[in-house]
Amino acid sequence: MPSPHSPQDELAGTEQPFVQHLVELRDRIVKALLAVLVAAAFLFFFPGPGTLYDWLAAPLVAHLPKGATLIATSVISPFMVPVKILFMAAFLLALPLVLWQVWAFVAPGLYAHEKKLVLPLVVSSTVLFFIGVAFCYFFVFGQVFAFIQSFAPKSITAAPDIEAYLSFVLTMFLAFGLAFEVPIVVVVLARMGVVSVAKLKEFRGYFIVLAFVIAAIVTPPDVVSQLALAIPMCLLYELGIWAAQIFIRHTQAPADDETAPPPPAAL
């Protein structure tokens, strides 16, 4: 007879009808959308869509020639681009609440040892993504734009289009945000048994080459941005190997009671 503490019985009584799962999923999605809309409403009044775009464009404007500004080549760009920035910022602001809704939906179907793995990964992956975006905005952009402007001929006045700049920024944010997820990927692969920690250590040299290849593809053709992406990826790979060893040790499933030694006989 299974023990009441065995993982087989851990989820007993938590089963729900399929329709009830759909209703709960709908409610979670609605709550997540409401969180994004509330954040958008707040950002609309403070600091405002225009100010948000000015903040986003600040690293580029700081390195443009004196008196130069960004331009809008489309009639509706001055309206649509700030609105896109508004909702992007609202989603990032509401992301903790959105992820909480996702966690609240999937958590009842997980065993205790699985919750010990999933929740830290969700939190750490979110934090690492934000760190990657912040690293790109506060450090990489300044270096890249200064490097690019240093090559601009004096006969050319730089006046980038606001939509093109938005596309560039989103691509760079996504590239650096995903690059900073390297430790999470390493931990998941090792924890699922796809690859061992020893193999990850052996793959270290190949990953360094892979990191520079990826950086050369997704970043502008300048040495600064490529190094700024490749070097953190290599360091984060080492962090992932270290974290994988800890996760594997602390998130193992409990041993079956049948393999456990029998309790001592009562006196």
Side-chain angles (χ1 to χ4, degrees):
M1 181 176 180
S3 166
H5 300 289
S6 65
Q8 290 85 350
D9 293 337
E10 193 176 332
L11 300 179
T14 62
E15 298 84 359
Q16 296 181 6
F18 180 70
V19 175
Q20 190 171 349
H21 277 295
L22 291 179
V23 172
E24 183 182 0
L25 178 61
R26 179 202 62 189
D27 293 341
R28 297 293 180 188
I29 293 176
V30 169
K31 291 178 181 178
L33 290 176
L34 285 176
V36 174
L37 291 177
V38 170
F42 174 79
L43 292 174
F44 181 82
F45 292 102
F46 180 82
T51 304
L52 286 174
Y53 190 88
D54 289 340
W55 289 349
L56 190 66
L60 175 60
V61 173
H63 293 89
L64 290 177
K66 186 176 181 180
T69 61
L70 280 75
I71 63 172
T73 57
S74 172
V75 175
I76 63 173
S77 291
F79 170 77
M80 290 302 301
V81 172
V83 169
K84 291 177 182 179
I85 296 297
L86 173 68
F87 281 100
M88 182 187 74
F91 178 77
L92 293 177
L93 183 62
L95 187 58
L97 293 176
V98 173
L99 291 177
W100 172 255
Q101 296 302 323
V102 175
W103 170 252
F105 179 74
V106 303
L110 300 176
Y111 291 116
H113 69 277
E114 292 173 332
K115 293 180 182 179
K116 292 179 181 179
L117 172 66
V118 175
L119 183 57
L121 288 181
V122 170
V123 174
S124 58
S125 62
T126 305
V127 173
L128 285 172
F129 186 86
F130 279 126
I131 292 176
V133 171
F135 177 75
C136 180
Y137 178 83
F138 290 104
F139 175 75
V140 177
F141 279 172
Q143 303 300 319
V144 170
F145 296 147
F147 179 82
I148 292 175
Q149 289 301 318
S150 66
F151 279 85
K154 294 183 179 179
S155 58
I156 296 177
T157 300
D161 177 62
I162 59 175
E163 289 194 53
Y165 178 70
L166 175 62
S167 177
F168 170 81
V169 166
L170 293 181
T171 301
M172 291 290 286
F173 279 171
L174 186 62
F176 277 84
L178 293 179
F180 273 62
E181 300 294 326
V182 168
I184 306 301
V185 176
V186 172
V187 168
V188 171
L189 291 177
R191 179 61 184 82
M192 293 178 64
V194 177
V195 62
S196 65
V197 174
K199 290 294 184 182
L200 289 170
K201 292 179 180 179
E202 294 177 6
F203 188 72
R204 182 183 288 117
Y206 297 99
F207 182 83
I208 293 175
V209 176
L210 180 62
F212 278 89
V213 171
I214 294 174
I217 294 174
V218 302
T219 60
D222 66 278
V223 178
V224 176
S225 59
Q226 292 175 11
L227 291 177
L229 182 62
I231 293 177
M233 286 181 67
C234 296
L235 297 177
L236 290 168
Y237 184 79
E238 296 296 328
L239 175 63
I241 294 176
W242 173 78
Q245 300 176 71
I246 298 177
F247 267 77
I248 292 174
R249 187 165 59 246
H250 289 88
T251 60
Q252 293 288 354
D256 291 340
D257 290 336
E258 295 178 358
T259 61
L267 297 177

